[in-house]
Amino acid sequence: MKKTALFFFILCIINTYSFAQDDLTTTLNLMPWPKEIKANDHQLTIDKNLTVSIHGQGQDRIQLAAVNFIRRLTKRTGVFIDQGFPITDKKGTIIITFQKRTALNIETDESYILQIKSDHITIDAATDVGAIRGLETLLQLINHNTSSYYFKGVTINDAPRFVWRGLMIDVSRHFQPIGVIKRNLDAMASVKMNVFHWHLTDDQGFRIESKTYPKLQELASDGLYYTQNQIKDVVAYASKLGIRVIPEIDVPGHASAILTAYPEYGSHQGEYTYEIERFAGVFDPTLDPTNPETYNFLEGLFTEIAPLFPDDYFHIGGDENEGKHWDANTKIQNFKKENGLTTNHDLQTYFNIKLEKILNKLGKKLMGWDEIMTPTMPTTAVIHSWRGENEGLPKGGSLISAAKTGYQTVLSNGYYIDRMLSVKHHYNVDPIGNVKLTDEEHSLVLGGEATMWSELVTPTTIDSRIWPRTAAIAERFWSQQEVSNLNNMQLRLKDVNFKLEELGLTHIKNRNVILRGMTDNQDISALLDLSKICEPLKVYSRNQGGTEYKSFSPFNLFADACVVDAEDAIAFNTLIDNFIYAPSDTKRAKILVYLSKWATNYERFSNIKSNPKIEPLAALSKHISDFSKVLMNSIIQKRLTKAKHDALTTQLIALNQPYADVEVMITADLKILLDYCTDHYLVN
Amino acid sequence: MKKTALFFFILCIINTYSFAQDDLTTTLNLMPWPKEIKANDHQLTIDKNLTVSIHGQGQDRIQLAAVNFIRRLTKRTGVFIDQGFPITDKKGTIIITFQKRTALNIETDESYILQIKSDHITIDAATDVGAIRGLETLLQLINHNTSSYYFKGVTINDAPRFVWRGLMIDVSRHFQPIGVIKRNLDAMASVKMNVFHWHLTDDQGFRIESKTYPKLQELASDGLYYTQNQIKDVVAYASKLGIRVIPEIDVPGHASAILTAYPEYGSHQGEYTYEIERFAGVFDPTLDPTNPETYNFLEGLFTEIAPLFPDDYFHIGGDENEGKHWDANTKIQNFKKENGLTTNHDLQTYFNIKLEKILNKLGKKLMGWDEIMTPTMPTTAVIHSWRGENEGLPKGGSLISAAKTGYQTVLSNGYYIDRMLSVKHHYNVDPIGNVKLTDEEHSLVLGGEATMWSELVTPTTIDSRIWPRTAAIAERFWSQQEVSNLNNMQLRLKDVNFKLEELGLTHIKNRNVILRGMTDNQDISALLDLSKICEPLKVYSRNQGGTEYKSFSPFNLFADACVVDAEDAIAFNTLIDNFIYAPSDTKRAKILVYLSKWATNYERFSNIKSNPKIEPLAALSKHISDFSKVLMNSIIQKRLTKAKHDALTTQLIALNQPYADVEVMITADLKILLDYCTDHYLVN
């Protein structure tokens, strides 16, 4: 899949350079970082005369990409470019050359060579998709001084490390309109991701129109589903971006919605009312694998749905089936005995093998979550590795064993972005790591997918849960394994994060929307400052305790305004680290700026006319202000009394509690600072 | 069209109350203001037990409206309501009763009666659409104290003044994706508008898929058009909101796009290359009304497009045809002579009458801009009055004369929101005003439409050009003529404006997006403060001078971040008015707060690392800061030297110039303040 056309190979031999990441990463905000990059002294000014020309056969994708490139360049620079479309008669300022329009599959060549000289820029690629990847890199190279915008001179020789660089979006728990999907596809393309895995069905809703089985959308979607025309539209849109679309119809578990529409295929013995599930969790409704009609139904459904998705792969889910209804059903138990199926895993494998035959007839490879990897499952299936230490598996989960057994495999364990963990956590997860694999095994590790499960996200908040962390994961999938400097990644990510806004993503702007809504459009500065040091509760703990979220519960609360990697908390953490390592007056002054901002929070908070939505934050605001005030004064006065020390210690415990579904992310650093004060300023 | 079912009539007689607007408008943020409203002492608390029940036949629209009502109530209050969907077995807390599912036309009964008591709420309406209007009113009645949200007790008896309350969106000059259209439909419904006029074609693009004439979208849309499925989807979406959709295919002028695809129907004599127009303006390409094939083409096109739009009305444009190509074409000139058509108006009427026959066969009424109203045009046509004093017509334009002649008519003159005039300007325009009309004539004045022409707007900015001003125009169309207090309207509009954000409108949040983009994500406070006193150049003057915008030029510049009715300018204006009327220390202090904010602007602006996009604003920032500093000090010191007076006078002239396509909106008030200082503090 990383075969490069001969002329590239020769080019590479002629120009045998390879620069380490650190040489240029401080000046260039590229993400994902390219395979090889070399700076030169050239610089091409962006002015109204800039033109783009395209050379190659089959230009539908690249024409659109070039137009969008010009639009984004225009927005970024404000330059009134004369030629709003690629020119056709001669070579442009930017000359795009490619060999062929490519099919989208795991063999697609996405490599490109980008050269920026003073008078022109070339992008050379074996395929149109490679050229598209090059255009995204070029957009990341726009620079400016006071009087003009320009491209900085570089030569880049780039190709991905993994062929499968995916994002999964769950549209069942919370439906996501087409606009949400499209803007996230744009964002994916901007960081060179190439697989959109569409989790279309689950207990909470069946989201795709079936003409064969219309009750699926009529009874099991609350009216929130994609028409087949919309599906085709999204698939075509993704294809233009060089993104494959893999549908997932999750069976035999996660089937409450399917069985709400067609209860006759369920496993429950006797009367049972299946209903669209409103809560989050793992539920019992399961298809009956012993009923031949179940397969007729699935064959009918797959035969209708598969052609909407031209991709070779088709995801059948297969996860989290606890088999309770199977165990309680004597007919199913008898079937197992009759067919020598000892465990429920055996029964599910029986089911999976039947599905694989259906899918093969439709020209599809079966893909499923790693529960499908049983001793009897043929290695023609594709293993989507999701479980790891949290689910009682060894570190790294099933990915390596799948590859060693001979399965193609894709990693999502470690990339569950809905767990609301730091970008550093995900960036540190390497699909292969230090494991030694044969070339054959290595080629079976296709890549990975970030997974956006949507129990706790809505169209308003989903972007801020996907981005910017997924950009760093995209780099993990595209860039060489050695590209791993966390601090450098975070610097570049800051720029990428902001630039994602130009694609219409709402991850930044919707925070204030939520806060305005919470305050009835009053001054939000106090809440905004709080949100910069708080993060939503992690690892599904938000859904515990007194609050039990349903799919239609409010998700525009304070926790929804907060994001992972809270900006002031991150900056404060760096500051405290530096201060403790080498204290200085400058750093002390910066610390006081933060403490003083937090010290006034409660006063500002109290100026907001209260309402039931912000009332639960009063205690949080007060604790932070009280603590910050005392600590600030102790630092200014270089004096901490025992009484104040004890009070602060008690308050820290309070700050470590969750408030309104958020956790305060500065408490560890406040503790360090308190300890410093204790060591240096404590008086009796 | 305002026929009310008998039981309502009786109800009205029993409860003969009618409260003046001013009694409640200071406490209730209703917009449009209802016909009759009476407060009571009841109050219904919103808690998790709230339910909605629906009683009436044909519930598809009202079910969706009720679900959306519950979702918005949930978002607004944060209450975890148990029943996320209407209940079916018994009466709910909110009881919706209607008589029938209505067709959407100019006879649709949209009246409703809303009663809020302590233990339940009733909405009674003749039709489902009336009930939907009532639900929007109810959402505007949500109130809160510190501990709970509640509905304030009222009885409202409401019905619209006009049956046609429209918004036109031009999607030709700048294409607007489906998501933009849908969120604006939601916003329209929230202020009870009921006609979406879709200006689908113009010189700059043909935006609707034709299967009969596919070159229209293939050659004349740049790939930016709606598929027929998308059109159907939008029409269905609008219908669910009780909104009619009127398509406009603009002919015979504004036809550059059509003729780019099918030049054979053009009027130019001899060789001519028609091209998609990139600039704004009035252009020559015109269909040939003397060519029988033109009518075959239009009949084919209309026959295909008309069924996509179930509405009775079909808009054929007909505006701004200057007939240059007609005058220069001997064949057309001969045709005119042969057929006794003296003027080009006669020729166009000949064309319009032929089109009306085609449309009548398709079950449609022909509607056109007011140029179609010629002495020979049958009164079966519908006149869309757009020209007024600016176009050399008498004040009020053609609306009244159309009604007096016997045409149905709709007013847009005075509601051209793309002219970027103040909300007060539009709110003051009454379709009928003081003109005496017979009942028959009165009934021919159907209502009005705000028009959003899109030469200067993109999907990023269009919401901020439509809203909130269109909400005030919606009130003009719905509410009684006496509802006209400007200050009170502005108070209520402030609340409506903010609440529109809950529907996903971007009119507030995209300002910061543009400013972040301009600064490369630096501190935007200086630009934000500037944007609050600046407005984009008005009445199409932006497109003059050195800058000539094309459709693909950048529209994310400072002028695009600015909006009409700049908030600080409005507030400052009120403050200065009050101060001059009755000076006081408090008011003086408030004035100094503004001046001090502006005085520091240039310092903050200078801290931004400059780039070519913000560089043109440096002079603006500096002038404002310099002026504010000197004036502020004069007020503080109560001393203004002659030299300073002269300098300020000169600077004011500079501030009256346009900067980067904006005008500074505080200069008149600064002049008043300077005059005050001159009168009171001038020393030699």
Side-chain angles (χ1 to χ4, degrees), chain B residues 337-482:
Chain B
K337 279 178 209 144
E338 285 157 19
N339 289 272
L341 303 167
T342 314
T343 67
N344 283 342
H345 287 301
D346 294 337
L347 180 57
Q348 190 163 342
T349 303
Y350 169 88
F351 173 84
N352 291 338
I353 290 172
K354 283 193 160 269
L355 259 51
E356 192 180 35
K357 293 209 175 97
I358 293 170
L359 288 173
N360 288 348
K361 269 201 290 182
L362 296 165
K364 303 288 179 189
K365 279 176 89 77
L366 178 145
M367 180 168 185
W369 300 104
D370 58 24
E371 285 95 330
I372 72 164
M373 184 169 67
T374 57
T376 49
M377 191 70 201
T379 56
T380 44
V382 185
I383 306 303
H384 194 161
S385 171
W386 74 277
R387 290 178 301 173
E389 290 170 289
N390 293 303
E391 293 77 22
L393 293 195
K395 193 171 159 65
S398 50
L399 184 94
I400 298 302
S401 59
K404 285 184 183 285
T405 312
Y407 294 99
Q408 285 187 339
T409 182
V410 169
L411 184 64
S412 279
N413 183 264
Y415 306 123
Y416 266 46
I417 49 180
D418 65 318
R419 291 162 61 91
M420 307 304 271
L421 299 174
S422 158
V423 66
K424 291 189 177 183
H425 166 82
H426 299 298
Y427 193 70
N428 272 335
V429 176
D430 190 272
I432 294 173
N434 300 322
V435 176
K436 289 264 179 287
L437 294 177
T438 66
D439 286 354
E440 170 67 14
E441 288 162 357
H442 206 292
S443 72
L444 291 169
V445 179
L446 302 181
E449 279 186 15
T451 47
M452 182 70 256
W453 301 103
S454 66
E455 284 89 345
L456 298 172
V457 301
T458 66
T460 301
T461 58
I462 190 168
D463 295 359
S464 75
R465 275 52 187 147
I466 299 176
W467 308 102
R469 289 176 299 153
T470 295
I473 295 172
E475 173 158 292
R476 176 58 50 242
F477 298 155
W478 176 283
S479 303
Q480 297 301 298
Q481 189 168 358
E482 303 75 48

Side-chain angles (χ1 to χ4, degrees), chain A residues 71 74-85 143-149 182 222 229-230 233 278 460 494 498-499 501 506 508-510 512-513 516-521 547-550 552-554 556-557 609-613 615, chain B residues 71 74-85 143-149 182 222 229-230 233 278 460 494 498-499 501 506 508-510 512-513 516-521 547-550 552-554 556-557 609-613 615:
Chain A
R71 299 290 170 275
T74 298
K75 281 173 84 169
R76 196 87 67 80
T77 62
V79 173
F80 283 62
I81 293 172
D82 279 342
Q83 296 292 337
F85 296 86
N143 216 316
H144 72 84
N145 52 37
T146 306
S147 62
S148 69
Y149 283 87
K182 285 190 176 175
D222 299 314
N229 280 315
Q230 287 176 321
D233 178 43
R278 304 299 176 189
T460 302
K494 202 173 165 186
F498 146 67
K499 287 192 176 134
E501 234 185 357
T506 64
I508 298 172
K509 63 189 179 184
N510 277 1
N512 284 10
V513 172
R516 276 194 287 271
M518 291 185 67
T519 59
D520 280 334
N521 204 25
T547 310
E548 197 165 12
Y549 285 89
K550 294 183 181 180
F552 49 72
S553 295
N556 58 340
L557 306 176
K609 188 192 165 203
S610 191
N611 67 44
K613 278 192 290 184
E615 208 279 325
Chain B
R71 297 291 170 274
T74 298
K75 280 173 83 170
R76 196 85 68 81
T77 63
V79 173
F80 283 62
I81 293 171
D82 278 343
Q83 297 292 338
F85 297 86
N143 216 317
H144 72 85
N145 52 37
T146 306
S147 62
S148 69
Y149 284 86
K182 285 189 174 175
D222 299 315
N229 280 314
Q230 287 175 320
D233 178 44
R278 304 298 176 191
T460 301
K494 203 175 165 184
F498 146 68
K499 286 189 177 137
E501 234 186 354
T506 64
I508 298 172
K509 64 188 178 184
N510 277 0
N512 284 10
V513 172
R516 275 194 287 272
M518 290 185 69
T519 60
D520 280 334
N521 204 25
T547 311
E548 197 166 11
Y549 285 89
K550 294 183 181 180
F552 49 73
S553 296
N556 58 341
L557 306 176
K609 189 195 164 201
S610 190
N611 67 42
K613 277 192 289 185
E615 209 279 324

Side-chain angles (χ1 to χ4, degrees), chain B residues 40 44-45 99 151 186 243 300 343 369 399 439 448 471 571 588 592 649 668:
Chain B
N40 62 46
L44 187 141
T45 302
Q99 305 304 312
F151 292 109
D186 288 333
I243 295 176
T343 67
W369 300 104
L399 184 94
D439 286 354
R588 191 189 317 265
L592 290 174
T649 304

Side-chain angles (χ1 to χ4, degrees), chain A residues 208-372:
Chain A
I208 175 168
E209 175 194 28
S210 170
K211 291 172 182 173
T212 319
Y213 303 102
K215 282 195 278 183
L216 287 168
Q217 68 270 15
E218 286 165 14
L219 302 180
S221 79
D222 299 314
L224 300 171
Y225 65 93
Y226 309 103
T227 64
Q228 295 196 0
N229 280 315
Q230 287 176 321
I231 296 276
K232 285 181 206 163
D233 178 43
V234 166
V235 170
Y237 191 89
S239 169
K240 288 283 172 74
L241 299 166
I243 295 176
R244 301 160 48 209
V245 183
I246 317 282
E248 178 183 348
I249 308 292
D250 201 350
V251 287
H254 289 277
S256 302
I258 291 174
L259 295 173
T260 300
Y262 294 95
E264 54 269 42
Y265 308 126
S267 297
H268 194 274
Q269 190 161 25
E271 276 303 295
Y272 190 79
T273 304
Y274 294 100
E275 282 180 338
I276 298 176
E277 184 56 53
R278 304 299 176 189
F279 289 104
V282 177
F283 304 97
D284 299 335
T286 310
L287 297 184
D288 181 355
T290 71
N291 178 356
E293 292 303 319
T294 301
Y295 300 100
N296 290 339
F297 165 73
L298 289 175
E299 179 156 7
L301 185 63
F302 290 0
T303 301
E304 182 185 9
I305 288 176
L308 301 175
F309 299 90
D311 202 75
D312 300 335
Y313 292 73
F314 192 105
H315 206 300
I316 56 100
D319 56 319
E320 296 185 317
N321 171 26
E322 296 179 348
K324 289 188 191 160
H325 286 192
W326 291 356
D327 292 339
N329 186 321
T330 47
K331 183 178 133 283
I332 292 175
Q333 291 306 312
N334 290 338
F335 182 91
K336 280 168 68 178
K337 279 178 209 143
E338 287 158 16
N339 289 273
L341 303 166
T342 315
T343 66
N344 283 343
H345 286 300
D346 295 337
L347 180 57
Q348 190 163 341
T349 302
Y350 169 89
F351 173 83
N352 291 338
I353 289 172
K354 280 192 162 273
L355 261 51
E356 192 181 36
K357 292 209 176 95
I358 293 171
L359 288 173
N360 288 347
K361 271 202 288 183
L362 295 166
K364 303 288 181 190
K365 279 177 89 76
L366 178 145
M367 181 169 184
W369 300 103
D370 59 23
E371 286 96 328
I372 72 163

Side-chain angles (χ1 to χ4, degrees), chain A residues 552-623:
Chain A
F552 49 72
S553 295
F555 286 98
N556 58 340
L557 306 176
F558 183 65
D560 303 295
C562 296
V563 298
V564 179
D565 299 318
E567 58 193 279
D568 281 0
I570 299 273
F572 190 65
N573 176 259
T574 306
L575 182 56
I576 296 296
D577 279 0
N578 287 337
F579 177 76
I580 296 300
Y581 179 72
S584 77
D585 285 348
T586 316
K587 292 172 198 167
R588 191 189 319 264
K590 285 185 183 167
I591 290 170
L592 289 174
V593 169
Y594 278 106
L595 292 177
S596 139
K597 177 160 86 165
W598 298 328
T600 64
N601 193 276
Y602 188 59
E603 191 188 332
R604 288 179 289 146
F605 181 91
S606 304
N607 285 334
I608 307 171
K609 188 192 165 203
S610 191
N611 67 44
K613 278 192 290 184
I614 67 165
E615 208 279 325
L617 297 168
L620 169 62
S621 171
K622 186 162 192 317
H623 285 317

